[in-house]
């Protein structure tokens, strides 16, 4: 393929460099286009636009491939742990045993939150959605940890990364406890990341949480599956917010806000609500007809990048069966609805022609519910796990010498310039 692309407009020819990554389609570098041809490109929704260069995650949507730093998600989900994946995303390589020991120590010893921070939760209504609490609480971290908000200091960048990975489970568990009217549970250093989170959610003063290795492993694997996903809406939000030099806590709060939408991370909650509303297998044909009539979407299906099975969905489905078996809910009617709905959709021309396959959210709600979480916590768990991806991408952007403030342009289609008319003359 050529190293340059020619762009012709109004008799003017501009030669544009063609860039190539390790994998994926070639990219036409249009940075000089406006200066040389006086035109913008138009791509709402970023259908054909690479917004940055990144070494973190690669997706081949047609082949259903997802790699973190080159490692397939299936292998990481099977053989690694969430904290090891965190290290990999942040540092680019898997840790050696001593490196991992230091990293695990750094995360474990940052899990507590400032005592005054706990009072912050009390300001929320008891029935507040935990994602609303997360957005506010994570943004408020910048009011508590001033010593890690200087984005130009590499040490502060790393401490803020550790703090966020460490404190997110504590904050998420508090959002959950607050909505239940139960006292907060403090982190314990001897527990693993997933164990600590489950204990902070499910222990009560009258009865301690009882560890179950199958459920803890499932929680850890769910965190791995959500750890990063390239330049999705929330990650792009984090990068755009960070491009102005905003502090990392504020940027991650922006990412959480973006994630909450039902087309993004909010889909897991919506998907379980959808499956519950369908209720029984006999209602599926009527529901599918409603999707085809465009009255609503089949939540947990479809993806901007995957035009094949989302590899995360494959692992999630397997995890779902393991968890349901462990808690004795193999015959959960909602699981039966999900499996039949998947079968129907995958053989229906409407979904086949549009290349709509299950995504990570299709089976995650059923799994998380079996772990004991209510639907409004599902997106919170997604945010908890995605924090490492956001912070790794944010760090990569800050450390990229070609980084500039994000500033898209537009096609203006409003009124042409006109003179102000006083109110008595309108
Ligand atoms: N149900 C029914 N039709 C759909 C669906 C769906 N879930 N998704 C896409 N379509 C149709 C869409 O109507 C369009 O049809 P047509 O060409 O006839 O107008 C066609 O498929 C292409 O869809 P699109 O909306 O142009 O695709 P997109 O890339 O802009 O949207 C998406 C991707 C994920 C927002 C969308 O598939 C969707 O809304 N899915 C449901 C929500 C969901 O499960 N989101 C989780 C995504 S994975 C986790 C994450 O990263 O957050």
């Amino acid at each position: 393929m050529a190293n340059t692309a020619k762009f012709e407009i109004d008799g003017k020819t501009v030669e544009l460099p063609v860039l190539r990554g390790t994998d994926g389609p070639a990219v036409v570098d249009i940075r000089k286009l406006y200066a040389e041809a006086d035109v913008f490109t138009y791509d709402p929704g970023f259908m054909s636009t690479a917004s940055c260069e990144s070494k973190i995650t690669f997706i081949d949507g047609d082949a259903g491939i997802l790699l973190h730093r080159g490692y397939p998600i299936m292998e990481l989900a099977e053989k690694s742990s969430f904290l090891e994946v965190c290290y990999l995303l942040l540092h680019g390589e898997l840790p050696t045993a001593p490196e991992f020991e230091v990293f695990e120590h750094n995360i474990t010893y940052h899990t507590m939150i400032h005592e005054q921070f706990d009072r912050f939760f009390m300001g929320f209504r008891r029935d507040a959605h935990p994602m609303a609490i997360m957005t506010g609480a994570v943004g408020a971290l910048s009011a508590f940890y001033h010593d890690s908000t200087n984005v130009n200091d590499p040490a502060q960048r790393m401490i803020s990364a550790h703090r966020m990975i460490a404190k997110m489970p504590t904050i998420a568990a508090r959002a959950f406890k607050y909505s239940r009217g139960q006292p907060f549970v403090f982190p314990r250093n001897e527990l693993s990341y997933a164990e600590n989170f489950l204990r902070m959610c499910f222990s009560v003063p009258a009865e301690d949480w009882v560890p179950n290795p199958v459920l803890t492993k499932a929680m850890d694997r769910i965190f791995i599956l959500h750890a990063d996903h390239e330049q999705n809406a929330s990650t792009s939000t984090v990068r755009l917010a960070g491009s102005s030099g905003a502090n990392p806590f504020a940027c991650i709060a922006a990412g959480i806000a973006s994630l909450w939408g039902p087309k993004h991370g909010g889909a897991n909650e919506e998907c379980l609500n959808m499956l519950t509303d369908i209720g029984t297998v006999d209602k599926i044909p009527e529901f599918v007809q409603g999707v085809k009539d465009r009255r609503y979407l089949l939540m947990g299906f479809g993806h901007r990048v995957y035009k094949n099975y989302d590899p995360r969905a494959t692992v999630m489905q397997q995890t779902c069966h393991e968890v349901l078996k462990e808690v004795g809910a193999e015959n959960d009617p909602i699981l039966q609805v999900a499996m039949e709905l998947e079968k129907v959709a995958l053989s229906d021309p409407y979904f086949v022609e549009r290349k709509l396959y299950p995504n990570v959210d299709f089976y995650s709600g059923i799994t998380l519910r079996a772990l004991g979480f209510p639907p409004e916590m599902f997106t919170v768990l997604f945010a908890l796990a995605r924090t490492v991806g956001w912070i790794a991408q944010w760090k990569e952007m800050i450390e990229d010498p070609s980084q500039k403030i994000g500033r898209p342009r537009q096609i203006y289609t409003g009124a042409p310039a006109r003179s102000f008319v006083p109110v008595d003359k309108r």
Side-chain angles (χ1 to χ4, degrees):
M1 197 192 248
N3 290 329
T4 54
K6 281 202 176 75
F7 180 88
E8 273 183 40
I9 189 160
D10 296 338
K12 216 186 290 173
T13 303
V14 181
E15 226 164 81
L16 301 165
V18 175
L19 311 177
R20 279 184 192 81
T22 320
D23 209 334
V27 170
V28 181
D29 180 349
I30 58 166
R31 278 176 289 186
K32 297 256 170 0
L33 188 64
Y34 175 50
E36 293 187 10
D38 201 26
V39 289
F40 295 145
T41 55
Y42 181 60
D43 188 18
F46 298 100
M47 302 295 286
S48 303
T49 297
S51 62
C52 62
E53 183 186 325
S54 182
K55 294 180 168 56
I56 302 175
T57 292
F58 173 74
I59 303 174
D60 181 334
D62 294 322
I65 290 171
L66 167 62
L67 310 176
H68 291 319
R69 302 282 191 186
Y71 296 101
I73 188 69
M74 299 272 195
E75 281 190 47
L76 293 173
E78 198 187 318
K79 299 175 187 163
S80 190
S81 69
F82 178 64
L83 273 195
E84 200 175 46
V85 172
C86 288
Y87 185 99
L88 175 70
L89 291 170
L90 279 175
H91 296 278
E93 294 297 337
L94 286 167
T96 60
E99 283 167 344
F100 185 67
E101 204 180 312
V102 173
F103 182 69
E104 193 174 33
H105 180 275
N106 284 340
I107 300 301
T108 305
Y109 285 83
H110 275 119
T111 49
M112 286 186 63
I113 46 179
H114 197 287
E115 191 61 16
Q116 269 174 288
F117 196 92
D118 271 349
R119 287 190 226 143
F120 193 81
F121 291 94
M122 309 307 163
F124 288 99
R125 277 172 58 133
R126 188 64 79 186
D127 60 356
H129 195 289
M131 275 302 276
I133 298 182
M134 288 301 283
T135 320
V138 173
L141 285 174
S142 46
F144 284 82
Y145 300 101
H146 303 286
D147 59 344
S148 53
T149 52
N150 179 357
V151 303
N152 299 316
D153 178 348
Q156 292 199 28
R157 289 202 293 272
M158 197 47 93
I159 293 173
S160 67
H162 291 164
R163 281 189 166 140
M164 267 184 280
I165 296 166
K167 293 182 200 307
M168 209 55 89
T170 315
I171 298 172
R174 272 156 165 66
F176 177 57
K177 284 298 196 191
Y178 186 70
S179 69
R180 297 266 135 151
Q182 293 177 2
F184 296 154
V185 177
F186 286 85
R188 299 277 332 166
N189 290 351
E190 73 276 17
L191 299 179
S192 74
Y193 192 86
E195 277 174 331
N196 189 38
F197 175 63
L198 289 170
R199 183 179 165 276
M200 284 193 289
C201 287
F202 298 122
S203 256
V204 288
E207 200 173 323
D208 208 354
W209 167 76
V210 181
N212 175 324
V214 176
L215 303 186
T216 303
K217 176 83 197 136
M219 187 77 266
D220 195 71
R221 197 181 297 144
I222 291 169
F223 289 158
I224 294 176
L225 293 180
H226 289 90
D228 190 49
H229 211 230
E230 209 228 57
Q231 308 311 321
N232 54 80
S234 57
T235 302
S236 299
T237 302
V238 169
R239 278 186 178 258
L240 193 56
S243 76
S244 69
N247 77 70
F249 303 107
C251 296
I252 302 304
I256 294 175
S258 168
L259 184 77
W260 194 2
K263 291 195 167 181
H264 193 6
N268 50 17
E269 178 178 350
E270 295 288 326
C271 181
L272 190 83
N273 292 340
M274 171 195 81
L275 295 170
T276 310
D277 287 349
I278 297 172
T280 49
V281 168
D282 59 301
K283 299 273 169 43
I284 290 175
E286 185 191 332
F287 172 81
V288 169
Q289 194 52 51
V291 176
K292 292 176 4 183
D293 294 343
R294 293 174 176 271
R295 281 188 276 130
Y296 38 74
L297 293 169
L298 170 50
M299 301 311 286
F301 256 68
H303 199 274
R304 169 64 59 80
V305 184
Y306 295 118
K307 301 302 167 199
N308 199 329
Y309 220 93
D310 176 344
R312 303 170 301 171
T314 313
V315 185
M316 187 60 85
Q317 190 185 27
Q318 187 192 325
T319 306
C320 181
H321 286 292
E322 283 166 20
V323 168
L324 266 65
K325 183 160 177 252
E326 185 63 22
V327 301
E330 300 104 310
N331 298 323
D332 181 347
I334 298 299
L335 177 65
Q336 307 308 320
V337 171
M339 291 194 316
E340 183 59 22
L341 181 56
E342 179 187 351
K343 208 163 87 190
V344 170
L346 289 178
S347 55
D348 186 305
Y350 182 92
F351 300 92
V352 174
E353 280 159 19
R354 289 171 177 77
K355 298 188 178 167
L356 300 172
Y357 289 85
N359 59 50
V360 68
D361 291 321
F362 194 67
Y363 283 100
S364 69
I366 307 173
T367 319
L368 293 172
R369 194 181 63 150
L371 284 171
F373 293 102
E376 62 273 17
M377 274 301 286
F378 298 171
T379 313
V380 171
L381 301 190
F382 193 154
L384 186 169
R386 183 56 58 86
T387 295
V388 64
W390 289 328
I391 198 88
Q393 301 264 356
W394 169 83
K395 232 173 109 305
E396 182 180 63
M397 177 198 66
I398 299 285
E399 289 162 13
D400 178 350
S402 69
Q403 185 263 331
K404 284 174 112 60
I405 187 167
R407 180 45 169 102
R409 304 305 297 263
Q410 62 173 12
I411 307 180
Y412 176 67
T413 51
R418 49 186 167 161
S419 292
F420 180 81
V421 181
V423 69
D424 57 327
K425 301 261 168 29
R426 282 176 222 159

